[in-house]
Amino acid sequence: MRIVILGAPGAGKGTQCKRVVAEYGLAHLSSGDILRRERSEGTELGKEAQSYMDSGALVPDEIIVKMMASAISESVESGFVLDGFPRTVNQAQELDNSLQSSGQKIDAIINLNVDDELVSQRMTGRRSCPECGAVYHIENLKPKVEGKCDNDDADLVQRADDALDVVANRLKTYHEQTKPVVGYYKSNGTVIEIDANKDADEVTGFVLDKLEELASALK
Ligand SMILES: [Zn+2]
């Protein structure tokens, strides 16, 4: 199976990806991980990406697509789940072109739908311990004593990534750039819509049910 997982920040993509990969023995191709690996190994593409990053620019779609295409070509046998990619319609089109040239295509897109308010509540309510790294939530996972870590009594803090303005900004970028990718795939492929407003285990249940159907249809 060749799958793409899409969803807003905070929709639980990482968790669902890991579970799908474990269930079907697929390769987990995370664009963030692959970019880090290419840079640390100093490959040609890695060096090129690094030069953009050094100048504070975004790595161009062309380089990201080349990196992902190369990782995909190594995962033809196992199948794969794409995580964090494609992030724009342009990347999705480039990916399709690249797959077509090797006679492949994406089998399904899993779209994790979650309400903005819930994402915002999930993310801005997180508190973490600067001493031991434990993560709490002001409503869903409260420490025994408000504002204090259960393990070491340290004062809990909100990470910069979880601040309201940062979360609002990430949601805005998602709606502007990544949501149109869902539209692109709706006219070019199979989109499986998942209600990701539930808890993670329930969402995994929905996702695996749909993939079972897909797997038998592909046989
Ligand atoms: Zn702690």
Side-chain angles (χ1 to χ4, degrees), residues 129 131-132 149 151-152:
C129 173
E131 297 297 324
C132 72
C149 180
N151 303 328
D152 45 35

Side-chain angles (χ1 to χ4, degrees), residues 145-171:
V145 179
E146 195 186 328
K148 300 280 185 188
C149 180
D150 290 351
N151 303 328
D152 45 35
D153 207 35
D155 287 328
L156 300 177
V157 297
Q158 186 181 43
R159 293 186 322 153
D161 278 0
D162 296 333
L164 185 59
D165 56 336
V166 176
V167 171
N169 226 335
R170 289 176 65 191
L171 281 170

Side-chain angles (χ1 to χ4, degrees), residues 60-177:
D61 283 351
E62 194 198 338
I63 295 180
I64 300 284
V65 171
K66 274 189 193 161
M67 282 182 183
M68 296 306 286
S70 144
I72 286 169
S73 70
E74 290 162 15
S75 314
V76 173
E77 293 288 307
S78 60
F80 54 80
V81 181
L82 301 181
D83 175 11
F85 174 87
R87 210 179 278 274
T88 63
V89 171
N90 182 43
Q91 288 184 358
Q93 285 165 338
E94 294 288 326
L95 172 66
D96 274 353
N97 293 339
S98 161
L99 287 172
Q100 251 166 31
S101 65
S102 60
Q104 301 188 73
K105 66 175 186 59
I106 297 295
D107 296 313
I109 290 82
I110 297 170
N111 187 30
L112 301 176
N113 290 294
V114 62
D115 297 338
D116 281 4
E117 301 79 63
L118 185 65
V119 167
S120 187
Q121 188 259 2
R122 275 183 190 168
M123 296 176 81
T124 60
R126 280 205 289 241
R127 296 292 180 271
S128 56
C129 173
E131 297 297 324
C132 72
V135 177
Y136 301 88
H137 192 280
I138 54 171
E139 278 159 44
N140 311 337
L141 192 63
K142 293 180 181 175
K144 292 194 184 93
V145 179
E146 195 186 328
K148 300 280 185 188
C149 180
D150 290 351
N151 303 328
D152 45 35
D153 207 35
D155 287 328
L156 300 177
V157 297
Q158 186 181 43
R159 293 186 322 153
D161 278 0
D162 296 333
L164 185 59
D165 56 336
V166 176
V167 171
N169 226 335
R170 289 176 65 191
L171 281 170
K172 184 165 169 275
T173 305
Y174 165 75
H175 284 291
E176 286 171 358
Q177 295 189 356

